[in-house]
């Protein structure tokens, strides 16, 4: 995910829910911000794109910008019951790594990505230690409202990120 500040378009909707759309090289993300969670909708052209979008969306929820320093490299291996479970486990594993390194994971490579397992190399960028850069403590990716629709040509997912 090369672009540090992709284009986004915020809109305000009823019931104090803010919606923001973002286009990335891997597809589109829609954020629906509620007081205690964000519902993220992802649209990509492949499973790899969908999981890259999920990592990008989580990073954007955690912090508005990150530091251009040397990257932090980690490996992730997961086994799950299916695509939906794999998306939630993927995001929660990235959250655990974020807490460990105080970083967001914005560059991802998947040597293996299948319906019930993945192996990924992730590169992170450190969170800025500046009071003027807002950040949000994220608790977990949740199964509430979870939906994953595998494509052949369009992959979609809806996942809740709680804080």
């Amino acid at each position: 995910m090369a672009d540090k500040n992709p284009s986004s378009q915020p809109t305000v909707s009823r019931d104090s829910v803010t919606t923001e759309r973002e286009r990335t090289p891997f597809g589109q993300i829609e954020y629906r911000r509620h007081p205690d969670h964000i519902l993220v909708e992802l649209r990509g052209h492949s499973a790899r794109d969908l999981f890259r979008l999920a990592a990008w969306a989580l990073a954007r929820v955690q912090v508005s910008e990150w530091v251009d320093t040397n990257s932090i490299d980690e490996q992730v291996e997961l086994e799950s019951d299916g695509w939906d479970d794999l998306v939630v486990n993927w995001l929660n594993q990235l959250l655990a790594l974020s807490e460990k390194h105080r970083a967001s994971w914005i560059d991802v490579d998947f040597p293996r990505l299948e319906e019930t397992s993945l192996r990924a190399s992730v590169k992170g960028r450190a969170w800025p230690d500046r009071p003027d850069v807002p950040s949000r403590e994220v608790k977990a990716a949740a199964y509430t409202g979870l939906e994953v629709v595998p494509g052949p040509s369009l992959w979609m997912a809806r996942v809740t990120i709680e804080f």
Side-chain angles (χ1 to χ4, degrees):
M1 301 189 182
D3 191 359
K4 184 164 102 171
N5 294 312
S7 65
S8 60
Q9 304 166 344
T11 58
V12 178
S13 61
R14 64 180 190 258
D15 301 326
S16 300
V17 175
T18 304
T19 302
E20 180 182 338
R21 291 177 183 85
E22 179 174 26
R23 292 182 187 268
T24 76
F26 304 106
Q28 294 181 335
I29 306 169
E30 183 173 293
Y31 305 88
R32 292 189 188 141
R33 298 178 189 274
H34 299 263
D36 59 348
H37 69 276
I38 295 178
L39 180 65
V40 178
E41 290 189 10
L42 312 165
R43 291 179 184 88
H45 296 291
S46 67
R48 281 177 167 71
D49 285 350
L50 190 76
F51 279 74
R52 285 182 180 112
L53 287 169
W56 182 266
L58 178 61
R60 297 277 288 156
V61 168
Q62 290 174 313
V63 67
S64 62
E65 67 181 66
W66 38 84
V67 180
D68 275 336
T69 61
N70 293 336
S71 65
I72 303 163
D73 298 328
E74 279 283 355
Q75 301 294 314
V76 175
E77 288 199 46
L78 295 171
E79 301 286 329
S80 293
D81 293 332
W83 288 116
D84 53 352
D85 195 41
L86 194 61
V87 168
V88 170
N89 289 338
W90 166 243
L91 289 172
N92 285 326
Q93 183 64 42
L94 293 178
L95 279 170
L97 291 174
S98 291
E99 289 178 19
K100 176 180 175 183
H101 295 288
R102 293 197 41 79
S104 293
W105 309 97
I106 57 171
D107 190 14
V108 182
D109 182 45
F110 294 100
R112 184 180 79 236
L113 180 55
E114 300 166 355
E115 185 174 0
T116 58
S117 66
L118 70 75
R119 182 176 46 222
S121 300
V122 295
K123 292 184 186 228
R125 299 283 185 258
W127 295 337
D129 279 335
R130 297 186 351 230
D132 62 319
V133 178
S135 63
R136 170 172 283 136
E137 182 179 335
V138 176
K139 290 181 184 175
Y143 287 91
T144 308
L146 177 65
E147 182 179 14
V148 176
V149 180
S153 61
L154 180 64
W155 285 66
M156 298 181 354
R158 183 177 298 126
V159 64
T160 301
I161 299 174
E162 298 177 340
F163 33 85

